[in-house]
């Protein structure tokens, strides 16, 4: 039986002038895809910071849910849902180039719109994404060095 892949229709907001999109490393993207292929959708616990601006404020138990999706007018993507805050955040990782963005670009989705996160340290979504994506380190350890091949 074929696996159902949800389709998403999103409106991509333009990058600010001169901004560079934040890309997952090819090895990280390969490990995410391979894990999804081998296990299907999965959930990974992590410790989310209670206050992104104050690391000493402590953390809460949170989960990241990872699944495959297809953009209606574009490539397959990996949906990462983070419940580490009062409001659930959705992120998409492009698996192929789309609308001028390269594969591996990390998008933050809000309703029907999405924006590319940038490498700029002042990007408001960047800190939360960094704390949430720590689960990728765990996947890379579990997968071993051959995972990037």
């Amino acid at each position: 039986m074929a696996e159902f892949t949800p389709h998403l229709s999103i409106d991509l907001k333009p990058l600010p002038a001169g901004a560079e999109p934040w890309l997952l490393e090819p090895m990280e993207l390969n490990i995410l895809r391979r894990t999804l292929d081998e296990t299907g959708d999965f959930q990974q616990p992590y410790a989310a910071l209670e206050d992104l601006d104050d690391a000493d404020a402590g953390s809460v138990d949170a989960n990241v849910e990872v699944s495959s999706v297809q953009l209606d007018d574009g490539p397959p993507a990996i949906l990462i849902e983070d419940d580490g805050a009062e409001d659930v955040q959705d992120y998409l990782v492009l698996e192929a180039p789309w609308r001028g963005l390269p594969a591996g670009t990390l998008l933050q989705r809000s309703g029907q719109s999405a924006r590319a996160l940038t490498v700029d340290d002042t990007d408001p979504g960047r800190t939360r994404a960094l704390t949430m994506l720590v689960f990728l380190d765990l996947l890379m350890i579990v997968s071993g060095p051959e995972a990037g091949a």
Side-chain angles (χ1 to χ4, degrees):
M1 178 186 281
E3 215 175 289
F4 173 72
T5 301
H7 282 251
L8 292 178
S9 178
I10 59 171
D11 177 36
L12 183 63
K13 295 179 181 178
L15 273 171
E20 184 180 337
W22 180 14
L23 306 176
L24 292 186
E25 295 292 326
M27 182 186 299
E28 293 170 324
L29 186 55
N30 288 340
I31 287 171
L32 270 177
R33 171 46 47 207
R34 193 175 87 204
T35 303
L36 280 166
D37 289 345
E38 291 174 359
T39 66
D41 298 354
F42 66 93
Q43 191 175 71
Q44 179 67 46
Y46 82 105
L49 294 176
E50 281 204 42
D51 183 350
L52 294 176
D53 296 322
D54 181 9
D56 295 331
S59 61
V60 295
D61 291 336
N63 288 296
V64 175
E65 293 185 27
V66 182
S67 58
S68 294
V69 294
Q70 176 70 45
L71 300 181
D72 278 343
D73 67 338
I78 297 171
L79 176 64
I80 303 172
E81 295 175 279
D82 172 26
D83 72 356
E86 290 181 20
D87 60 325
V88 173
Q89 292 288 308
D90 289 349
Y91 298 89
L92 295 167
V93 180
L94 300 178
E95 291 193 72
W98 182 61
R99 295 189 181 178
L101 295 172
T105 299
L106 187 64
L107 306 175
Q108 184 176 28
R109 186 175 76 136
S110 178
Q112 291 296 106
S113 65
R115 69 178 190 88
L117 292 177
T118 66
V119 296
D120 185 353
D121 288 340
T122 62
D123 187 324
R126 189 173 193 279
T127 302
R128 181 159 177 191
L130 280 170
T131 62
M132 180 262 313
L133 288 172
V134 73
F135 80 94
L136 286 174
D137 294 333
L138 298 172
L139 287 180
M140 293 193 329
I141 291 168
V142 169
S143 296
E146 73 283 350

